[in-house]
Each structure stands twice: as C-alpha cells, then as structure tokens.
Amino acid sequence: NAELALEAAEYLLCDEEIHMERWQTAVANMSWGGRMEEIIPHLILYGAHNPGAMDAFVKSVKLLGEKIDVLIFSAVSDKKYDQMVAYICENLDVDTFIVTEIDDWRRVQAEELFEVFKKNTDREVLCKKDIKEAIETAFQKRKDGEVYCLGSLYLVGMVKNLL
C-alpha cells in the first residue's frame, strides 16, 4: 500500500522535485491500526480478514522472526475463513490456537471455527466464546513468544475496546 501511494504521489507531482528523504521519513513514521499493532506488551493485533491479508500476515511474521505462542482467531461468515485457517496452520508454527466470537450477526460460531482448526492442525486448539476469556487464557498459555489476535477487523476493534 505504501509503495502504491508513493508511486501515485510521484505521478501526481511529476513536475516537482522529489524529496526522497521526506518520503522515507513519512513511511517510517506511519502507523496503521490493527496491522501488527502491539496494544499491550506481547499482544499484537492484526486484522487479516481475507486470504491476501492472511498471506501478508504470514510473510510479516516470518520476516520479523516472531515466535507465536498463542494465536486468537475469529472471523465473519462471509469471508473464506476455512481457506485462511488452512493457510495459517500450514505456514505458521503456533503452539496454541484459541478461537473466539465477535459480537456481530455475521460471526462464525466458535464451535465451527474449532472444528475447522482441528481438521487443519494437530496443535492445541481451544474454544473460548468470550473474547476477554480468550485473551486471559492466551496469556496463561504464553511462554516466551507473542500472542496474536488475528482475523476479523471486528475482533481488532473489540479487543481495543476491551483493553
């Protein structure tokens, strides 16, 4: 997204002198809520609500060399959540997955997410409908790595409101 914005700015400002240092500073200081956002120590939010965003998440985690002890996941029913779950189970080394539910009529029931995870991983999968309970359980399970809240942007917003 940043690269696309810079390309657009360069195109629109084609008659002006380009100040690369200014653009580098702007990008370096950019913050995008809900994307690798550490809301409290060791709790990172990432709103990845489609397969493309899930791929970007996995690449980011690998690039950063992050260790994920616990991943909390929730989704809405009109997204390809089964595909996203399969992808993260195949591509990330996570000790424990916790499925939870968002407060929205489009939510995927935690029990359904639990079954999808169980089909895709032999790692521990826990079902905690209540987000607060999911976070508390995640920190009980956390060792020396990170806890990620991943999936629906509704989940990101609800965790922010909760904390």
Side-chain angles (χ1 to χ4, degrees), residues 64-134:
L64 293 170
E66 293 282 324
K67 180 180 185 312
I68 303 175
D69 284 338
V70 183
L71 191 142
I72 301 170
F73 185 84
S74 185
V76 293
S77 59
D78 59 345
K79 301 295 180 178
K80 297 177 181 178
Y81 61 88
D82 51 343
Q83 184 180 346
M84 293 186 289
V85 169
Y87 186 78
I88 58 176
C89 289
E90 290 171 18
N91 291 284
L92 288 178
D93 183 21
V94 176
D95 292 341
T96 302
F97 294 98
I98 300 176
V99 295
T100 191
E101 291 182 8
I102 58 166
D103 186 19
D104 187 82
W105 66 272
R106 296 184 310 148
R107 73 180 168 266
V108 179
Q109 299 290 324
E111 294 86 359
E112 184 175 342
L113 288 172
F114 177 83
E115 293 302 324
V116 173
F117 270 94
K118 291 301 279 182
K119 281 193 269 185
N120 287 282
T121 186
D122 58 358
R123 300 295 173 111
E124 180 178 40
V125 181
L126 303 174
C127 184
K128 303 291 180 184
K129 284 186 176 191
D130 181 71
I131 292 174
K132 183 178 181 196
E133 185 180 354

Side-chain angles (χ1 to χ4, degrees), residues 1-14 16-30:
N1 290 329
E3 185 176 352
L4 183 59
L6 291 173
E7 289 288 331
E10 187 174 316
Y11 176 78
L12 293 171
L13 302 172
C14 62
E16 295 185 26
E17 181 181 350
I18 295 174
H19 300 280
M20 190 60 70
E21 310 80 37
R22 188 180 300 166
W23 289 11
Q24 289 171 334
T25 301
V27 171
N29 291 318
M30 185 182 78

Side-chain angles (χ1 to χ4, degrees), residues 18-69:
I18 295 174
H19 300 280
M20 190 60 70
E21 310 80 37
R22 188 180 300 166
W23 289 11
Q24 289 171 334
T25 301
V27 171
N29 291 318
M30 185 182 78
S31 173
W32 190 355
R35 294 289 200 272
M36 294 304 227
E37 179 181 3
E38 188 168 17
I39 191 152
I40 60 173
H42 306 291
L43 178 62
I44 301 162
L45 305 178
Y46 198 100
H49 57 102
N50 60 49
M54 197 62 65
D55 181 56
F57 168 74
V58 168
K59 287 177 180 173
S60 296
V61 168
K62 289 183 175 185
L63 184 67
L64 293 170
E66 293 282 324
K67 180 180 185 312
I68 303 175
D69 284 338

